[in-house]
Amino acid sequence: MKKDDLDYVIEALKKRDEILINGKRISQYNKYFRKMCEYTRKMINANRQAELLSFLDSDNISYRVDVAGLLYNCYPDRCKQVLKEISEMSVETGLPKYYINLSVSAEMALEIGIPKDFP
């Protein structure tokens, strides 16, 4: 069975999470970022971005921050809310250490913004 664009995005989300948890190389993390962006752009162009919305409510923080960034220009209010929640997380409040960079990334996205043409 042929993979769909959504399948590729989900695969990239899973791989990125695995890389964070296992402390693997950042080059691998970035490789899956590019794939995730490529297939999300295809979904947006096909008006299928709503298929990713459920990930904003995921228990997985990595999925939430990635999808909030990917869908930011489609659903800015909802994605800002998710990024704000994650930016306020810390190890002291129960955030696993391997996710600490996600909190910082969420804070920076809110502070700097996300380009209008992203992904």
Side-chain angles (χ1 to χ4, degrees):
M1 178 178 217
K2 186 179 179 203
K3 283 188 184 180
D4 180 77
D5 293 338
L6 178 60
D7 296 324
Y8 286 109
V9 174
I10 292 170
E11 180 182 318
L13 289 170
K14 288 178 181 178
K15 290 288 189 181
R16 283 170 57 84
D17 188 50
E18 177 186 306
I19 290 165
L20 287 175
I21 291 169
N22 295 316
K24 293 184 179 178
R25 295 188 333 254
I26 194 73
S27 62
Q28 287 295 306
Y29 190 74
N30 292 338
K31 170 186 167 184
Y32 287 102
F33 177 77
R34 289 186 295 276
K35 284 186 177 198
M36 188 176 63
C37 290
E38 174 187 347
Y39 289 101
T40 299
R41 171 48 54 200
K42 289 180 180 186
M43 291 181 71
I44 291 169
N45 290 346
N47 200 28
R48 294 180 53 207
Q49 64 272 14
E51 294 175 41
L52 293 168
L53 281 172
S54 63
F55 288 100
L56 294 176
D57 298 316
S58 174
D59 290 337
N60 186 300
I61 296 164
S62 178
Y63 296 179
R64 290 180 70 208
V65 75
D66 277 343
V67 173
L70 292 167
L71 297 182
Y72 187 87
N73 290 311
C74 299
Y75 307 100
D77 294 335
R78 179 70 178 106
C79 292
K80 282 180 190 175
Q81 177 188 358
V82 169
L83 291 170
K84 183 172 179 356
E85 289 170 15
I86 294 170
S87 74
E88 294 171 349
M89 294 178 175
S90 67
V91 174
E92 292 79 22
T93 62
L95 182 69
K97 284 185 181 182
Y98 49 82
Y99 283 156
I100 196 65
N101 287 339
L102 299 178
S103 178
V104 174
S105 294
E107 185 176 344
M108 289 177 63
L110 291 169
E111 212 171 279
I112 298 168
I114 293 180
K116 294 289 183 204
D117 61 349
F118 184 77

